[in-house]
Amino acid sequence: MTTLFRNALVVAMDDEHRSQPFRADVLVVDDRIDAVGPDLPVPEGATVVDATDRLMMPGLVNAHVHSWEALFKGRYDNLPLELWMLLSYPILGVEPMSDRLVYLRTLLVGLESLRNGATCLLDDVIEMPTQSLSALDAVFRGYEDIGIRANCSGNIVNRPYIDSIPFVEDVLPAELLAEARAMPPRTVEEYLMTSKEALSRYDGRAGRLRYVIAPSGPQRCTDDLFVAANELSREHDTTFHVHVLETKMQAVTGREFYGSTLVEHLDSLGVLSDRATLAHGIWLTDSDITRLGEVGASVAHNPISNLKLGSGIAPWRALLDAGVNLGLGSDGLSSNDSARMFDVVKSAALLHKVTQPDYTTWPTADEVLWAATRGGARSARLGSEVGAIAPGRKADFLMLDLRSVNFTPVNDIAQHLVYVENGESITEVWVNGQVVVRDGRCLLIDEDAVLEEIRELGGEYLKKFAKVEDINRVFEPYIRDIYQRCCGEPMGINRFSGDERAWVGAL
Ligand SMILES: [Zn+2]
């Protein structure tokens, strides 16, 4: 299939133009962008589209999301991560979702992502109480059917959740601790076997699906798992996706478990490389940041989730200055509470302005758009494949209506995309050379039927889930004590207020 877009206003996000717009024709042949330039000749059989009123830009890349949470949007408020997880990822009594519900849940994430302009996402797939290949299969089928480009992990935790938290031996009653440790964690061998099977089944499917390696976090997994998982990621050149230093409690955990920062611990295992993406990366020390820059690692920055859970503020400027690649993520749909990437883009641009009175360090619209496209692509090991409108890149792009409210009147295009646009101007979304959204509707699924079935099956699941939440509230007073203790620990950095020169912190 060949389509020639005539005279579009292109925000290419390529090395030459970055977010600087220019007028050009864009030729799409099959799944790739073939040519970008003035007055391109019309190939035989091509469909020619007058794009004079259209802005064309690469699709946004969501660098970090968890589809598990899709049923829990609008459900929890005013809980920090470790207390929120007791409810959203319960320790006791949780039943697996049926494969059908997992499939529908995946469509819901894909639908919201695509309609809001994300053409590629990294779903760190977590299932409770544990991962299964049949559930993972439902996730891949969901993303395959809806038409998005997806990198999916089988997230692995191989320590009981309770043992990823410091001071539990001091605080929890022995019986409760024993109950929380009752379920045997998955073994390294089991994870490797499942991952190898998933790699052979899904990697490269439909030209847009990948299986990726994602040990959940250095406090949640054993050292031998990290080393083996990193080796598998190297063999298959997948991203190595790890939650690191999302909260102050995790900073305390590094000191308590390993006598070092969690980044230093990962480094001592030899698993930091340019394949590593750290989800969050908030409570990093200066030397952690330097080291991440040296190895060429990425950080998936999730500003909305970090605000919602009160986790802290990632050191945006310090990370960029150190040469760390930044991508943007929504994070799960319960800590966000949506997968809308235009919201994330705006939040990333705004959040860091209150951390630092020196306004020359604040994120620029161009930097934020780069993180939302090229940065996310690189973090997903798709750095040369997606994230730009350029010859040879995959045809993953958005068409936006320049006659919309959001572009009337037009000033600086990059700033419109960051601060004004909310996805409403999108007229078409293309992934892998195929139109998957037109005029706000996903074309490859029956949206109404999917939403109806989610209301029915999801509603039933949530009814049972409320009882599970009640059971798990038994942990709440103990984890609250530990949370408060950790918040009071002097750690030498204060990411609740940005950095030591922050004016918020000084008030
Ligand atoms: Zn996460």
Side-chain angles (χ1 to χ4, degrees):
M1 207 175 72
T2 305
T3 308
L4 178 64
F5 294 93
R6 275 274 187 241
N7 195 35
L9 186 66
V10 179
V11 175
M13 302 311 298
D14 61 349
D15 293 338
E16 185 189 347
H17 304 90
R18 292 187 63 116
S19 65
Q20 195 61 45
F22 59 95
R23 286 277 170 190
D25 297 348
V26 178
L27 180 66
V28 176
V29 179
D30 300 326
D31 62 340
R32 293 198 185 261
I33 292 162
D34 188 79
V36 180
D39 304 319
L40 296 178
V42 184
E44 206 180 310
T47 305
V48 180
V49 177
D50 177 8
T52 306
D53 290 328
R54 293 288 183 266
L55 184 155
M56 188 172 186
M57 68 179 287
L60 303 175
V61 178
N62 188 341
H64 186 71
V65 62
H66 302 287
S67 59
W68 161 259
E69 295 169 35
L71 302 182
F72 308 143
K73 53 191 178 187
R75 192 169 178 90
Y76 308 111
D77 201 4
N78 294 341
L79 288 173
L81 178 87
E82 292 83 5
L83 286 134
W84 164 83
M85 277 186 75
L86 292 174
L87 305 178
S88 54
Y89 293 88
I91 299 170
L92 305 175
V94 61
E95 294 286 325
M97 288 184 196
S98 68
D99 290 348
R100 179 69 189 166
L101 189 53
V102 171
Y103 173 77
L104 292 165
R105 174 194 91 187
T106 308
L107 290 182
L108 188 61
V109 175
L111 186 156
E112 194 178 27
S113 300
L114 285 171
R115 291 211 309 201
N116 198 250
T119 51
C120 179
L121 54 78
L122 188 137
D123 184 353
D124 190 18
V125 180
I126 303 172
E127 301 297 340
M128 300 304 286
T130 189
Q131 188 68 254
S132 73
L133 255 178
S134 70
L136 193 60
D137 198 66
V139 171
F140 274 99
R141 272 191 292 115
Y143 290 134
E144 184 174 5
D145 289 354
I146 201 158
I148 200 167
R149 188 176 304 283
N151 307 278
C152 305
S153 77
N155 179 298
I156 165 101
V157 167
N158 74 334
R159 276 182 183 153
Y161 172 69
I162 206 73
D163 288 323
S164 69
I165 291 180
F167 313 124
V168 286
E169 298 276 356
D170 308 346
V171 175
L172 260 76
E175 324 80 73
L176 196 56
L177 206 47
E179 216 183 330
R181 287 171 174 162
M183 190 169 145
R186 292 167 74 206
T187 63
V188 176
E189 293 68 36
E190 194 194 338
Y191 172 68
L192 292 179
M193 226 170 62
T194 312
S195 290
K196 284 174 186 168
E197 176 62 25
L199 282 161
S200 73
R201 275 195 206 179
Y202 308 117
D203 213 26
R205 186 184 275 192
R208 56 184 164 79
L209 302 180
R210 289 208 78 183
Y211 178 81
V212 302
I213 303 299
S216 183
Q219 75 283 20
R220 300 175 188 148
C221 302
T222 54
D223 293 353
D224 56 341
L225 176 74
F226 263 102
V227 171
N230 181 55
E231 185 53 26
L232 195 59
S233 143
R234 194 187 57 75
E235 278 170 30
H236 293 268
D237 193 31
T238 80
T239 181
F240 185 72
H241 198 89
V242 187
H243 292 83
V244 184
L245 292 166
E246 178 173 359
T247 66
K248 185 163 184 193
M249 191 190 289
Q250 292 174 11
V252 176
T253 304
R255 187 191 68 193
E256 291 297 312
F257 285 20
Y258 304 117
S260 67
T261 75
L262 291 177
V263 169
E264 286 164 354
H265 179 65
L266 291 174
D267 204 17
S268 77
L269 298 176
V271 301
L272 290 183
S273 72
D274 64 347
R275 279 176 286 101
T277 290
L278 279 64
H280 306 292
I282 296 173
W283 291 83
L284 301 163
T285 62
D286 288 350
S287 63
D288 289 342
I289 294 169
T290 304
R291 185 65 187 136
L292 293 176
E294 280 169 3
V295 300
S298 299
V299 164
H301 175 40
N302 306 282
I304 297 182
S305 172
N306 298 157
L307 285 164
K308 179 87 189 292
L309 300 176
S311 300
I313 305 175
W316 169 280
R317 179 58 55 200
L319 287 165
L320 280 186
D321 285 351
V324 177
N325 174 52
L326 288 180
L328 295 184
S330 63
D331 207 355
L333 275 69
S334 170
S335 65
N336 183 297
D337 298 36
S338 88
R340 290 191 300 269
M341 278 302 291
F342 272 103
D343 293 4
V344 175
V345 164
K346 183 167 182 171
S347 304
L350 293 174
L351 171 61
H352 304 281
K353 301 190 202 299
V354 295
T355 63
Q356 175 59 263
D358 179 0
Y359 55 84
T360 62
T361 70
W362 294 353
T364 65
D366 176 75
E367 286 172 338
V368 174
L369 288 172
W370 189 267
T373 52
R374 297 289 296 278
R378 182 175 146 194
S379 146
R381 304 297 281 170
L382 295 170
S384 56
E385 284 286 273
V386 302
I389 306 285
R393 297 258 170 180
K394 287 281 193 179
D396 292 11
F397 59 88
L398 317 177
M399 303 299 288
L400 291 92
D401 187 353
L402 286 167
R403 298 163 308 176
S404 70
V405 171
N406 292 344
F407 287 97
T408 304
V410 170
N411 288 290
D412 178 81
I413 285 287
Q415 291 187 52
H416 273 264
L417 290 172
V418 170
Y419 296 113
V420 190
E421 183 52 43
N422 57 358
E424 279 181 8
S425 309
I426 296 171
T427 58
E428 281 183 359
V429 178
W430 288 59
V431 180
N432 217 35
Q434 185 179 21
V435 192
V436 294
V437 171
R438 181 171 286 137
D439 299 329
R441 304 281 285 187
C442 287
L443 301 178
L444 304 188
I445 58 161
D446 181 342
E447 282 194 2
D448 293 341
V450 166
L451 294 177
E452 173 68 32
E453 198 178 348
I454 291 170
R455 281 192 289 273
E456 190 191 321
L457 294 187
E460 283 167 21
Y461 187 87
L462 287 170
K463 249 183 239 161
K464 285 188 279 178
F465 197 75
K467 297 196 179 79
V468 177
E469 289 166 335
D470 284 342
I471 294 168
N472 285 275
R473 286 200 168 91
V474 67
F475 294 103
E476 221 173 281
Y478 309 108
I479 304 299
R480 189 188 312 133
D481 281 356
I482 295 169
Y483 167 79
Q484 283 163 350
R485 176 170 169 182
C486 289
C487 284
E489 291 283 317
M491 294 303 292
I493 44 173
N494 184 2
R495 301 288 181 218
F496 287 132
S497 58
D499 69 15
E500 67 277 9
R501 288 171 298 168
W503 54 20
V504 173
L507 288 173

